Amino acid sequence: SLFWNPAGISMTSDKVQVSFSYNKWIADLTQNAVAVTYNLENIGTVGVGVMTFGLSDIPADRDVYPGNPALQALQIDQQSSASYDYTDLLAQVSFSRFVTDQLSLGVSVKFISEKIDDQSATAIAFDFGSVYSIGVMNWKVGARINNLGGDIKFYDYAAPIPLTFSIGTSIAPN
């Protein structure tokens, strides 16, 4: 829950939860995640998480303006290696607590970094979430808004991080 809805990390009885994941996708893309949450009794639950996503050893075709020395001077990419790496990094700190026996609210602050070759860009974002327990058959309804924050800027081009709002439900009949 730490990476999707910060309200979902609220705990009443457990002291610590730890999660690890590793995925190797098509085209050698890799994703790694680790999350730890700790229950502070009557104060709430805090969590820390780190997620990476990327690809290594991408063949580099760096000759943007071949054969024209006047245009080659305008080329931004001055690296000379035969390959480069692409990496996304997310590090976040979250806090959640039960406001009532049925409603938990949560917030996360996230540091986002993207690195392509020797260029990197960063942004700060916030997530807000809620989880409401209906009380029948462990039925829950959750809502979240993710990535309220600034743009990622490479060179002179700024791109907004994707703002997401979603509502979902789960039920676990006994």
Side-chain angles (χ1 to χ4, degrees), residues 62-160:
R62 298 179 187 278
D63 201 7
V64 177
Y65 301 110
N68 188 333
L71 291 177
Q72 285 177 338
L74 300 174
Q75 184 171 326
I76 296 172
D77 184 356
Q78 298 298 323
Q79 297 300 309
S80 59
S81 64
S83 67
Y84 65 95
D85 298 336
Y86 163 75
T87 305
D88 280 346
L89 170 71
L90 166 75
Q92 76 179 56
V93 175
S94 301
F95 176 78
S96 179
R97 68 170 289 139
F98 282 98
V99 179
T100 69
D101 290 345
Q102 294 175 287
L103 177 66
S104 64
L105 300 176
V107 62
S108 295
V109 60
K110 304 188 305 188
F111 171 78
I112 302 166
S113 173
E114 290 188 351
K115 186 171 190 277
I116 302 172
D117 205 7
D118 69 332
Q119 298 296 312
S120 63
T122 61
I124 302 293
F126 296 91
D127 296 349
F128 299 94
S130 64
V131 175
Y132 183 77
S133 179
I134 303 294
V136 177
M137 293 189 293
N138 201 22
W139 186 9
K140 296 181 181 181
V141 177
R144 67 169 183 164
I145 187 161
N146 291 61
N147 296 329
L148 286 168
D151 296 342
I152 295 278
K153 185 176 181 181
F154 279 100
Y155 301 106
D156 291 331
Y157 178 73

Side-chain angles (χ1 to χ4, degrees), residues 42-65:
N42 295 328
I43 298 171
T45 304
V46 295
V48 176
V50 175
M51 187 183 303
T52 63
F53 180 80
L55 180 62
S56 297
D57 297 324
I58 302 167
D61 183 6
R62 298 179 187 278
D63 201 7
V64 177
Y65 301 110

